[in-house]
């Protein structure tokens, strides 16, 4: 289960929320206790892993407390976080103390100028510091740090943003897997919100170029978690290269994800708006037992209604109109 704990963010990625978000009153956002209660019910239904996301999860006060609460939930085995990394240095110690099991850092370019333009003012240096400190802190521990990059044609993006960029494009990110024990995963851009305005790189083409450049490239059969990424290894590299091809590699048959929005709406697919309003159940009153029973029932219904597959290739059939930071990416 992916839990978005805020819609707000300290960045303005052009493909996500270039103009920020329309703020909703905090009373409409779930409290930390409400997320934890949903997690407890989820655990009773067999949910074992939780990803904390957003918006930017680290801008929500109490994010690390929530990680701890989730870790203390009976039945929940792993709690990980997806962050833009800007505040990672500041919160790393608290996340580690709370028992975090993995950190995904979103990073689309290693060019400071392009990073700043693409994220609406972000500091690449801050992200890289956070990454290095996380690797140091978790060295020798089974706490993976991964890089997620949306598959963008960086030169075209830079041109569109009017910023001078003379880098090699996506291959620049390979440096991270070469120099650090981190997996670098390329994620296809999904036609959600502002993402519709960006063309995703073809993973088939990226892979063909990788094979050409690194003849020793081989499929990496080791387990990297339970996600849908397909991994490759390059001889001499410390980390692996992963591809999450949600559109062209349609892995819906093996998808067991459900997503909770910051306002407590439980969704079973990114593509459709169907789901259950758990906030309404939590707040309608009644005894704890009654509410927990209703929560379990609503969660079961949302899960059983999970569609066979997404329909991103037929955007006219999509019913989800929320932006990515609302759904939680
Ligand atoms: N702020 C955090 C971050 O950036 O990691 C967590 C939330 S963000 C919405 C989660 C992930 O979704 C990021 O890796 C971001 O690049 C990705 N994302 C945003 N819009 C997307 C889109 N249209 N298609 C694919 N990924 C997208
Ligand atoms: Fe913020 Fe993440 Fe969206 Fe970028 S992708 S604007 S960091 S929520």
């Amino acid at each position: 289960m992916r839990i978005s704990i805020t819609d707000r963010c300290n960045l303005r990625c052009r493909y996500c929320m270039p103009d920020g978000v329309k703020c909703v009153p905090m009373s409409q956002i779930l409290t930390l206790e409400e997320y934890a209660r949903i997690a407890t019910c989820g655990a009773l239904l067999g949910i074992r892993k939780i990803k904390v996301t957003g918006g930017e999860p680290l801008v929500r006060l109490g994010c690390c407390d929530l990680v701890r609460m989730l870790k203390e939930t009976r039945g929940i085995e792993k709690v990980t976080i997806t962050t833009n990394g800007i505040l990672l240095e500041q919160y790393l110690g608290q996340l580690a103390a709370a028992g975090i099991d993995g950190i995904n850092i979103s990073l689309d370019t290693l060019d400071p100028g392009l990073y700043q333009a693409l994220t609406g003012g972000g500091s690449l240096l801050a992200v890289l510091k956070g990454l290095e400190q996380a690797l140091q802190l978790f060295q020798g521990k089974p706490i993976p740090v991964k890089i997620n990059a949306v598959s963008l044609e960086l030169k075209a993006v830079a041109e569109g943003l009017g910023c001078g960029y003379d880098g090699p494009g996506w291959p620049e990110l390979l440096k991270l897997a070469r120099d650090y024990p981190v997996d670098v995963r390329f994620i296809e851009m999904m036609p959600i919100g502002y993402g519709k305005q960006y063309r995703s790189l073809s993973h088939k083409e990226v892979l063909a170029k990788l094979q050409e450049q690194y003849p020793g490239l081989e499929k990496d059969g080791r387990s990297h978690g339970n996600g849908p990424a397909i991994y490759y290894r390059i001889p001499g590299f410390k980390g692996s290269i992963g591809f999450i091809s949600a559109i062209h590699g349609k892995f819906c048959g093996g998808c067991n994800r459900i997503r909770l929005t910051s306002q407590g709406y439980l969704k079973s697919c990114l593509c459709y708006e169907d789901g259950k309003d758990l906030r309404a159940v939590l707040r309608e009153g009644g005894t704890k037992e009654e509410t927990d029973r209703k929560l379990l029932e609503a969660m079961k219904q949302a899960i059983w209604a999970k569609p066979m597959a997404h329909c991103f290739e037929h955007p006219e059939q999509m019913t989800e109109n929320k932006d990515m930071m609302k759904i939680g990416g």
Side-chain angles (χ1 to χ4, degrees), residues 266-281:
L266 188 68
K267 285 170 58 62
S268 58
C269 180
L270 277 172
C271 203
Y272 306 97
E273 72 149 8
D274 305 53
K276 287 282 169 193
D277 183 356
L278 301 187
R279 186 184 66 189
V281 177

Side-chain angles (χ1 to χ4, degrees), residues 197-316:
Q197 297 167 18
Y198 287 80
R199 204 180 71 81
S200 190
L201 283 171
S202 150
H203 284 175
K204 228 168 143 183
E205 281 170 30
V206 172
L207 189 57
K209 286 202 180 122
L210 269 182
Q211 261 153 348
E212 207 179 287
Q213 201 179 339
Y214 301 99
L217 180 96
E218 57 181 14
K219 222 158 179 183
D220 182 356
R222 294 170 307 170
S223 165
H224 291 247
N226 281 356
I230 296 176
Y231 286 95
Y232 294 84
R233 298 174 75 171
I234 298 176
F237 276 45
K238 294 183 176 154
S240 296
I241 312 296
F243 293 94
I244 302 180
S245 312
I247 314 263
H248 293 98
K250 214 166 181 175
F251 42 71
C252 301
C255 172
N256 61 2
R257 302 295 195 268
I258 54 168
R259 294 176 153 83
L260 182 68
T261 71
S262 58
Q263 298 189 41
Y265 191 76
L266 188 68
K267 285 170 58 62
S268 58
C269 180
L270 277 172
C271 203
Y272 306 97
E273 72 149 8
D274 305 53
K276 287 282 169 193
D277 183 356
L278 301 187
R279 186 184 66 189
V281 177
L282 275 164
R283 297 185 183 178
E284 76 184 10
T287 64
K288 183 178 177 306
E289 288 68 29
E290 264 167 20
T291 306
D292 282 350
R293 191 181 44 74
K294 285 183 191 165
L295 265 182
L296 280 170
E297 192 48 41
M299 291 180 78
K300 275 188 207 165
Q301 283 177 14
I303 293 168
W304 281 329
K306 191 169 170 68
M308 291 283 283
H310 70 63
C311 61
F312 284 131
E313 63 281 35
H314 299 290
E316 71 287 354

Side-chain angles (χ1 to χ4, degrees), residues 24-94:
V24 295
M26 271 311 276
S27 60
Q28 289 180 24
I29 306 290
L30 295 194
T31 63
L32 303 186
E33 290 70 25
E34 286 173 323
Y35 293 119
R37 193 154 169 203
I38 291 173
T40 302
C41 289
L44 290 174
L45 295 176
I47 288 168
R48 299 283 170 258
K49 296 181 181 167
I50 293 187
K51 169 88 70 203
V52 176
T53 177
E56 172 50 39
L58 291 175
V59 303
R60 170 99 192 240
L61 275 181
C63 173
C64 303
D65 295 328
L66 178 65
V67 169
R68 185 185 35 77
M69 286 154 82
L70 296 172
K71 282 289 292 181
E72 284 168 357
T73 302
R74 187 195 288 251
I76 297 298
E77 290 165 4
K78 283 205 155 79
V79 180
T80 56
I81 190 167
T82 294
T83 170
N84 59 32
I86 296 285
L87 297 174
L88 193 52
E89 207 185 354
Q90 185 179 335
Y91 286 110
L92 197 55
Q94 288 182 48

Side-chain angles (χ1 to χ4, degrees), residues 105-118:
I105 303 176
S106 302
L107 182 56
D108 301 327
T109 172
L110 290 181
D111 182 274
L114 179 55
Y115 183 81
Q116 195 174 31
L118 184 60

